[in-house]
Amino acid sequence: MQTRLATSVAAALGALLLGACSGNNDVITQKATSAVPDYWPVIQSPIAKSDDVEKKVSDILASMTLKQKVAQIVQPEIRDVTVEDMREYGFGSYLNGGGSFPNNNKHATPEEWIALAEAMYQASVDASLDGSTIPTMWGTDAVHGHNNVIGATLFPHNIGLGAMRDPALIERIATATAREVRATGIDWIFAPTVAAARDDRWGRTYESYSEDPEVVGAYARAIVTGLQGDISDGNIDDQHVISTVKHFLGDGGTEQGDDQGNNIADEETLFRIHAQGYVEGLGAGSQSVMASFNSWHGEKLHGNKYLLTDVLKDKMGFDGFVVGDWNGHGQIEGCSNDNCPQALLAGLDVYMATTPTWKPLFHNLVAQVESGEIPMSRLDDAVRRVLRVKVRVGLFDLPSPANRSLSGDKSIIGHPDHRAVAREAVRKSLVMLKNNNNLLPLEPNSKVLVAGDGAHNIGKQSGGWTITWQGTGNENSDFPGASSIYQGIEQAVSAAGGSATLSEDGSYTDAPDVAIVVFGEDPYAEGNGDIANVEYQRGNKSDLALLKRFKDAGIPVVGVFITGRPLWINPEINATDAFVVAWLPGSEGQGVADVLFTQANGEVAFPMQGKLSFTWPATPYQNPINRGDGKNPQFEYGYGLTYSDNTNLPALNETVEADSSEAADHVIFQQSVQEPWQLVAHSGGVSGAMNSSVLTIGDVTIRTADRNVQEDTLLMQFGDTPAKLHFVAPFPVDLLDFTTPNSALAFDLKVPSGTGIQVGIECGQNCAGMVPLSNFTADSSDWQSVEIPTKCIIGAGANLQEVYAPLSFVTQGKVEFAVSNIRLTQHGQPTTHCP
């Protein structure tokens, strides 16, 4: 892969980047750049620096007040900002997050999207309150099509696109996405994700094209080119959008695939594996970069000056702007969502301030520049970068959003040409892992039974980031113009004189010629998708049972697997005759049938051609596993059968041996609250988190104390008001490993009496398992070890696959107790029954 090294112009680019700074700062920049290893390249963007652009930017900047400058670097979200706020502050940009719509209406029409864009734009150029006429711009997460808008074309998620190995098609997908986004008045897309996902336990694996940085790089160049169009003249036209390569840097390489976790790769590995999407995406001219939630060697990327400034801007020569992720600045040590000068000083240019805290953040930034804590030169550099992109995209010259070339053209949303591109991508993305006795392709004039909960579920086949953030809560009626996998099959079979029957539970009266079972992961996004290991349906083998029923009845079985990552599915593969991975195909389910069936005359119209862009694990615990790491996978990177192959897959090993790393206790509190948990108390309608040695909420008081070692104990006092104390995380944690027979929620306790205390595990809204503490304690005021079998908590209603709080105490009256050494363990005492 070309890196386009051009070290001879490094100094010139560095000087241009800090054009507003003094000569002394130029010297500092040169020293910082020289400290960056030479394997970081200088990027040659197709948008070269223009004297005309720079003069216009300088003229605008020179006329701006401090508050106008700060407004350009604060980005609120549409649920938290009004048109009047825009008129008063003149924000440089705003966004809609996943599941956020104009007027909070999920079914907002294109006209309503345009209306909001127009109103915000007009408010931003109205100088009556803020004195500014700088146009604002709207950013959105269009990560597999314009996925927030009802009726839009939804393309396969990136993991499926990676299986195609077709950058030219990626460019066409990006062009179609840009047109649909522009039709709703939006200027800017937070895409592409260019992470090289290296651990499939990560909940964002499906947002990655491949574990292979070469594929990621090639695709990054293609999608940026498609989104932004021909920019050789230095401009982005109004049928294309500003792109964002994200998330800088190393989000796909965190320890254990922990979303927002820590990447401990050395710097050269960080470049070689995780930076290639930026080398190619910026080489194609992407105008914005999004900082990542993750840390690198313990330092949050939003506050990492070395990577954001020394590497990205000074060494690589990136002259666009760096935008934060959803309140990511608030995660920097010493920061909060409303107060974080450290992020700007590190090189962040735009704060994504997505709660009502945008207002105190704005005023804090103003005060910090006035006090000198933030140098004016740094603020000016950030604003210059934002203005430079706005000039390049023509924002000062374009008509308002309602009057641009594609705006309001409803025919563009879900246009047949776009759906045809998406259907082609579905066909090319399918990967066949098994085809014993050449069962596939099927003859369409057959009697086909289509089963499984994914067969007629467009939301499930589309995955996360689909209308809503998590992709949940949707119905087929929310996808006008789309087709489910079953609908595609039914259309293909009926046209050839066959019959297709939908039976999700697999029941039938007359035996079919073949059963197609469509099943797989339910939608999720980001940390909600993190898992402890990659065994599919741990603790719930309903899909396997469905497959086996057909297999045992002698009915040929085709498994169609919907998934956002490689999972250990050996039992499911063994229960089929043919097995196809459909990934998350999006709105055009017909593309699956195009490949599974021949034409009526028996000829293959569309071949099976997808190849794995991720290595497929041989055991539930074989993660991370990647190409060339010496491990023995179930299916190698690049594997994928075609219809010309005559290969019978032997029975795969179904034995699951306990992994030593999985047998360790999950510690919740041991001298301190352990990540990712936080101790939160609720009393009298008030809530608060414990961030020091004492917490008082209502009539609840918690403080640390010494038992065996310093601060290894929590002393808890509850008053008369009903209250709850729990250890919580913002995303659910997969704790299914603690469903084994001897697993228990364990802790040391000192309490005069457990009467009136409920204890248990919470797993989301209306999902919890609570049991009386007194059922598991002795009548003693001395310290005692308590073990509550998890099977008892599960029996009370908990689901350990998605745990938000692994320990909750609920009280109804006055009680005091002390607790220490809190953990989930697989080594509890055997229990035959629950009290």
Side-chain angles (χ1 to χ4, degrees):
M1 182 165 42
Q2 295 178 342
T3 55
R4 293 166 176 78
L5 293 173
T7 55
S8 62
V9 296
L13 280 173
L16 281 172
L17 277 172
L18 297 180
C21 301
S22 67
N24 183 55
N25 283 336
D26 290 341
V27 173
I28 294 172
T29 298
Q30 290 168 2
K31 288 181 178 178
T33 302
S34 65
V36 176
D38 284 339
Y39 47 73
W40 293 101
V42 175
I43 300 299
Q44 295 300 297
S45 171
I47 301 184
K49 277 286 184 66
S50 160
D51 290 342
D52 290 342
V53 169
E54 295 306 306
K55 183 180 185 305
K56 184 170 184 177
V57 169
S58 294
D59 290 345
I60 298 169
L61 189 62
S63 69
M64 295 174 70
T65 67
L66 172 57
K67 287 186 176 180
Q68 289 169 350
K69 291 176 181 179
V70 171
Q72 288 299 303
I73 68 168
V74 174
Q75 182 186 68
E77 207 265 350
I78 62 173
R79 285 170 291 194
D80 302 313
V81 66
T82 66
V83 173
E84 287 306 310
D85 290 330
M86 181 64 75
R87 183 172 289 109
E88 179 179 353
Y89 289 87
F91 296 109
S93 61
Y94 62 103
L95 80 148
N96 69 290
S100 181
F101 320 97
N103 306 313
N104 291 318
N105 176 17
K106 174 179 174 179
H107 294 91
T109 63
E111 291 90 344
E112 290 174 291
W113 287 84
I114 285 283
L116 180 57
E118 179 71 11
M120 285 293 200
Y121 175 92
Q122 294 296 349
S124 72
V125 299
D126 179 349
S128 61
L129 295 180
D130 66 344
S132 173
T133 58
I134 299 173
T136 192
M137 55 187 178
W138 183 346
T140 191
D141 283 290
V143 297
H144 66 132
H146 200 7
N147 45 260
N148 289 288
V149 175
I150 297 289
T153 308
L154 300 177
F155 299 92
H157 269 295
N158 289 357
I159 191 169
L161 301 181
M164 302 187 312
R165 307 296 204 279
D166 192 340
L169 184 52
I170 293 295
E171 186 172 336
R172 291 163 56 204
I173 288 170
T175 300
T177 300
R179 288 177 58 81
E180 296 203 15
V181 168
R182 277 295 198 182
T184 56
I186 298 176
D187 315 278
W188 173 19
I189 289 178
F190 303 135
T193 296
V194 295
R198 306 291 286 182
D199 192 318
D200 303 333
R201 291 173 289 186
W202 187 34
R204 303 189 81 151
T205 297
Y206 67 79
E207 294 187 53
S208 174
Y209 299 115
S210 178
E211 70 190 36
D212 185 345
E214 185 173 357
V215 173
V216 173
Y219 273 28
R221 179 168 287 275
I223 192 169
V224 168
T225 300
L227 290 174
Q228 296 192 162
D230 181 1
I231 54 176
S232 58
D233 61 356
N235 295 299
I236 299 174
D237 63 42
D238 75 341
Q239 299 201 9
H240 294 84
V241 294
I242 303 164
S243 69
T244 308
V245 282
K246 67 179 188 182
H247 307 88
F248 194 84
L249 182 64
D251 51 341
T254 59
E255 292 184 283
Q256 300 181 351
D258 179 21
D259 191 49
Q260 304 187 15
N262 191 26
N263 186 317
I264 60 171
D266 62 76
E267 186 173 350
E268 187 166 1
T269 301
L270 191 71
F271 166 72
R272 181 174 54 84
I273 299 295
H274 299 288
Q276 296 310 303
Y278 301 93
V279 172
E280 298 298 322
L282 298 179
S286 184
Q287 292 294 287
S288 67
V289 170
M290 183 177 287
S292 184
F293 280 122
N294 71 276
S295 302
W296 183 48
H297 291 275
E299 183 178 359
K300 283 289 182 179
L301 263 295
H302 278 68
N304 192 308
K305 183 178 183 296
Y306 175 73
L307 289 175
L308 293 182
T309 298
D310 297 351
V311 171
L312 177 62
K313 294 178 176 179
D314 295 343
K315 177 67 172 181
M316 297 178 75
F318 173 60
D319 69 356
F321 62 84
V322 177
V323 62
D325 205 345
W326 193 271
N327 285 328
H329 58 274
Q331 297 186 12
I332 300 171
E333 186 175 358
C335 284
S336 63
N337 290 348
D338 60 9
N339 191 351
C340 190
Q342 295 95 313
L344 188 62
L345 293 171
L348 193 76
D349 299 310
V350 175
Y351 290 80
M352 188 182 284
T354 56
T355 67
T357 55
W358 63 258
K359 187 173 290 186
L361 174 68
F362 173 90
H363 290 292
N364 282 331
L365 287 169
V366 170
Q368 287 152 2
V369 176
E370 289 176 333
S371 71
E373 183 177 1
I374 296 174
M376 181 64 78
S377 59
R378 173 75 269 265
L379 176 62
D380 282 351
D381 176 56
V383 177
R384 177 178 292 275
R385 291 169 177 275
V386 173
L387 295 177
R388 180 182 293 130
V389 173
K390 289 187 174 186
V391 172
R392 285 173 173 171
V393 78
L395 208 57
F396 290 90
D397 303 315
L398 285 173
S400 63
N403 298 294
R404 294 173 189 164
S405 61
L406 300 180
S407 294
D409 186 345
K410 292 189 292 185
S411 70
I412 293 175
I413 305 298
H415 193 281
D417 290 348
H418 301 167
R419 292 191 182 278
V421 172
R423 186 169 176 175
E424 178 183 350
V426 174
R427 294 194 294 256
K428 290 182 173 179
S429 68
L430 303 180
V431 177
M432 186 163 61
L433 302 182
K434 179 180 183 180
N435 193 23
N436 284 11
N437 301 313
N438 296 110
L439 175 62
L440 294 176
L442 301 169
E443 296 179 356
N445 59 346
S446 305
K447 181 192 293 185
V448 181
L449 183 71
V450 187
D453 67 350
H456 191 44
N457 189 331
I458 300 171
K460 179 162 181 161
Q461 75 189 37
S462 297
W465 290 107
T466 298
I467 304 179
T468 62
W469 174 39
Q470 294 293 317
T472 55
N474 297 318
E475 301 176 354
N476 282 353
S477 58
D478 293 323
F479 302 92
S483 62
S484 69
I485 293 174
Y486 162 71
Q487 287 173 316
I489 292 170
E490 197 278 334
Q491 184 181 63
V493 170
S494 297
S499 65
T501 302
L502 176 65
S503 175
E504 290 190 6
D505 65 1
S507 60
Y508 59 87
T509 302
D510 297 321
D513 298 325
V514 64
I516 300 175
V517 182
V518 187
F519 67 102
E521 291 190 296
D522 290 327
Y524 54 82
E526 300 194 40
N528 286 35
D530 285 1
I531 53 177
N533 69 56
V534 295
E535 180 180 357
Y536 177 64
Q537 279 203 328
R538 281 183 296 150
N540 172 17
K541 294 298 181 181
S542 58
D543 289 336
L544 177 60
L546 177 59
L547 293 166
K548 283 185 171 180
R549 274 171 36 211
F550 292 118
K551 189 78 168 174
D552 292 345
I555 297 170
V557 184
V558 177
V560 175
F561 191 46
I562 295 172
T563 184
R565 55 188 148 204
L567 293 171
W568 187 77
I569 47 169
N570 286 13
E572 289 80 7
I573 293 176
N574 286 340
T576 66
D577 298 283
F579 197 93
V580 174
V581 182
W583 310 111
L584 299 169
S587 62
E588 307 312 299
Q590 292 170 313
V592 176
D594 290 343
V595 181
L596 294 186
F597 290 88
T598 67
Q599 297 182 87
N601 62 7
E603 294 182 358
V604 173
F606 301 103
M608 186 72 70
Q609 65 184 80
K611 304 296 180 184
L612 292 178
S613 61
F614 286 84
T615 306
W616 201 280
T619 78
Y621 310 109
Q622 200 179 33
N623 259 285
I625 181 170
N626 293 289
R627 182 183 188 183
D629 63 7
K631 297 179 181 179
N632 294 316
Q634 191 64 70
F635 301 104
E636 298 275 359
Y637 174 95
Y639 178 90
L641 298 174
T642 69
Y643 287 150
S644 62
D645 292 320
N646 189 16
T647 302
N648 280 351
L649 184 71
L652 305 179
N653 181 18
E654 297 186 17
T655 303
V656 179
E657 297 181 1
D659 182 73
S660 59
S661 66
E662 297 295 324
D665 288 354
H666 181 92
V667 179
I668 301 165
F669 175 84
Q670 194 170 72
Q671 288 187 272
S672 62
V673 180
Q674 301 297 299
E675 292 185 349
W677 310 112
Q678 185 175 33
L679 181 57
V680 175
H682 309 265
S683 175
V686 182
S687 301
M690 190 169 186
N691 297 315
S692 62
S693 60
V694 178
L695 172 66
T696 299
I697 295 293
D699 56 3
V700 174
T701 299
I702 308 162
R703 66 181 180 88
T704 59
D706 303 343
R707 179 188 173 200
N708 298 316
V709 295
Q710 183 177 359
E711 296 188 320
D712 65 345
T713 298
L714 295 171
L715 298 181
M716 305 183 182
Q717 296 178 313
F718 294 84
D720 294 323
T721 305
K724 177 168 71 173
L725 178 148
H726 56 179
F727 298 84
V728 297
F731 296 117
V733 175
D734 177 353
L735 294 174
L736 278 175
D737 290 325
F738 298 96
T739 58
T740 57
N742 290 350
S743 290
L745 174 60
F747 47 87
D748 296 341
L749 181 73
K750 185 176 183 179
V751 59
S753 171
T755 303
I757 303 173
Q758 293 282 314
V759 63
I761 294 174
E762 297 175 72
C763 40
Q765 188 174 7
N766 300 319
C767 179
M770 304 298 294
V771 296
L773 177 61
S774 58
N775 287 354
F776 302 91
T777 58
D779 186 11
S780 171
S781 59
D782 295 330
W783 279 101
Q784 58 183 295
S785 295
V786 178
E787 289 186 358
I788 304 175
T790 56
K791 71 177 183 181
C792 300
I793 299 173
I794 293 168
N799 172 13
L800 267 60
Q801 185 171 8
E802 295 185 337
V803 173
Y804 282 92
L807 174 61
S808 295
F809 291 109
V810 176
T811 68
Q812 297 300 320
K814 189 174 295 185
V815 67
E816 296 183 15
F817 60 94
V819 65
S820 181
N821 193 25
I822 305 169
R823 66 207 182 277
L824 283 161
T825 180
Q826 294 180 335
H827 309 294
Q829 296 298 315
T831 302
T832 57
H833 68 282
C834 296

